Amino acid sequence: MRVNRILLSSSLVVVALVIQVSVLARLHLPGAVPDLLLLTVLGLALVYGHVGGALIGFAAGLLADLAPPADHAAGRYALVLCVIGYLAGLVKPESGQVRSATGPMVVVVAAAVGSTLLYAGVGALVGDTAARHVGLNGLLFTAALYDLLLAPFVVPGVMALARRAENDPLAETNPAKSGDVASGWISGGTGLRVGGQRGGLRVKAARARVARAGRIKGVKRL
């Protein structure tokens, strides 16, 4: 993974985890908790693909496993988000651009339901039966509902940031284009080359000198 991918993914995952633990988890909504971390992983996986989605999902899940007030075995949520990130990356658009919101919304619902089932399944293997007492059907419904309501405010923004980072001039690996980073930054927003801009400035300066010399000559003749 490129450095800009790692920096962006790390920043988004940390922010999402802090908001989820400090804000969303304290809303005491009925059923499940809105999973901002899951939505962040989905947005990144839809841009970076299945390999990037699996790596980001595993790292995000492991961070959530270790962050307080985690009350489950470490690695449990890492496995869930790793699988979800991998599967979400498989449906990455070929062009990189999402033409309709239907596809991502379907992915969000499937991921919410799948992550809840997988989390409960892994918990059952390690002896955690909390999902049975809470009610698995209620958890599935509320998880899908909350994530679906939150997704339009999270997934498009995460995908836009990821695509923008992919086009970052600092991430250019082509030796022919990586000679002048400053030139890449300046020309990135305008579509013009710095060399062309300098040449245009020189032509304008030469024309200004010619015009000024013409005015001086005209004054002398008078």
Side-chain angles (χ1 to χ4, degrees):
M1 295 180 67
R2 298 177 181 177
V3 175
N4 58 336
R5 285 190 180 187
I6 297 175
L7 293 176
L8 177 64
S9 302
S10 302
S11 302
L12 292 177
V13 165
V14 170
V15 171
L17 181 60
V18 170
I19 295 176
Q20 181 168 329
V21 172
S22 60
V23 178
L24 298 179
R26 298 185 179 183
L27 295 178
H28 301 293
L29 297 174
V33 176
D35 201 339
L36 184 60
L37 194 61
L38 172 65
L39 297 178
T40 302
V41 171
L42 290 179
L44 294 172
L46 289 174
V47 177
Y48 295 152
H50 60 283
V51 176
L55 293 176
I56 295 171
F58 178 80
L62 185 60
L63 186 61
D65 288 332
L66 300 177
D71 57 353
H72 54 268
R76 181 176 172 184
Y77 200 48
L79 174 62
V80 172
L81 286 188
C82 180
V83 174
I84 296 299
Y86 179 84
L87 295 177
L90 293 177
V91 297
K92 170 189 173 183
E94 293 295 335
S95 62
Q97 300 288 338
V98 178
R99 298 181 179 180
S100 174
T102 304
M105 292 300 103
V106 173
V107 173
V108 168
V109 174
V113 174
S115 62
T116 304
L117 289 175
L118 185 58
Y119 186 83
V122 175
L125 293 177
V126 297
D128 184 1
T129 59
R132 298 179 182 177
H133 302 290
V134 176
L136 186 58
N137 293 332
L139 285 177
L140 292 175
F141 175 76
T142 53
L145 178 62
Y146 296 155
D147 291 348
L148 189 60
L149 293 176
L150 190 60
F153 304 98
V154 178
V155 177
V158 171
M159 294 180 66
L161 289 174
R163 285 196 297 264
R164 185 174 181 179
E166 285 293 278
N167 296 326
D168 194 336
L170 292 177
E172 183 62 58
T173 57
N174 189 349
K177 296 182 180 180
S178 60
D180 191 353
V181 174
S183 300
W185 276 109
I186 295 174
S187 62
T190 60
L192 300 175
R193 293 184 178 180
V194 175
Q197 292 178 345
R198 292 175 179 173
L201 291 176
R202 291 175 182 174
V203 172
K204 291 181 180 179
R207 291 177 179 176
R209 287 196 296 269
V210 171
R212 185 166 57 253
R215 289 195 297 270
I216 294 174
K217 290 180 180 180
V219 172
K220 288 181 178 181
R221 290 177 182 178
L222 292 176

